[in-house]
Amino acid sequence: VRAVLVQINGLLGLEPASSCCCLAQLLGGLCHSCAEEQEVATRRAQIAQELAVREAEVAAEVRLAVMTIETRLEQVILARQQLDSWNNRLSALEAKRSTGESTFLEISEARLQRLEAEHNLVRQVVAWHLGYVQLKKAQGVLSQECGYGAHSH
């Protein structure tokens, strides 16, 4: 048991700090039941502490993932607004082309900027969705949703 606990966390396999206080040990004999009880109590306390630490870490990971999703959603909205702006600019330039108020170069540049804005929007949407993947990972449900649940073989 101790070897398995050491693999999880090096501190979990340490010897208990206090010694057995039963009369048999004081007289020089071995008190197996007292030592076993103390070992079990020590391991339970160490596991409980490790569990509390891990729960706090998971809560922090979930909070971070939620904040990341919110930030990335704002970036998607901004990228969409930028794309809309370039679409409007391109439409205005193409409308002015018939009257000679815009040049081929201006229209080409606006098309290029629109394509870059589309690319940016796609990147932001992908990043937003990856934020959801991180959230599901932090919540511990990603493997189940991917088909690797407790019942899969």
Side-chain angles (χ1 to χ4, degrees):
V1 173
R2 186 174 289 166
V4 172
L5 292 174
V6 168
Q7 290 176 353
I8 295 171
N9 183 322
L11 297 177
L12 292 180
L14 295 178
E15 292 290 329
S18 63
S19 60
C20 182
C21 61
C22 71
L23 183 58
Q25 187 177 18
L26 291 175
L27 298 175
L30 294 176
C31 177
H32 293 290
S33 65
C34 186
E36 289 173 5
E37 287 176 20
Q38 194 171 20
E39 177 81 12
V40 169
T42 300
R43 298 299 157 244
R44 282 187 179 150
Q46 289 173 336
I47 290 171
Q49 181 181 6
E50 185 66 24
L51 178 62
V53 167
R54 183 62 189 135
E55 285 175 346
E57 289 172 351
V58 168
E61 289 172 14
V62 168
R63 281 192 300 275
L64 178 61
V66 168
M67 288 188 296
T68 299
I69 290 170
E70 291 172 349
T71 300
R72 290 180 177 171
L73 178 58
E74 291 173 11
Q75 291 170 338
V76 167
I77 291 168
L78 290 173
R80 181 66 208 186
Q81 290 172 347
Q82 186 181 33
L83 177 59
D84 289 343
S85 174
W86 281 110
N87 280 331
N88 292 337
R89 171 98 170 117
L90 182 59
S91 295
L93 288 172
E94 288 176 341
K96 292 179 181 180
R97 178 176 36 183
S98 62
T99 62
E101 295 178 49
S102 66
T103 65
F104 174 77
L105 182 61
E106 290 174 318
I107 293 172
S108 295
E109 185 178 318
R111 285 182 181 153
L112 177 62
Q113 293 297 326
R114 186 194 68 200
L115 287 174
E116 288 179 6
E118 285 176 2
H119 176 256
N120 185 40
L121 177 59
V122 170
R123 276 191 13 242
Q124 297 304 331
V125 169
V126 168
W128 178 48
H129 284 284
L130 287 174
Y132 277 104
V133 171
Q134 286 301 110
L135 175 62
K136 291 179 185 293
K137 178 182 173 189
Q139 292 172 327
V141 296
L142 180 62
S143 60
Q144 292 171 349
E145 289 187 6
C146 292
Y148 295 103
H151 300 292
S152 65
H153 302 329

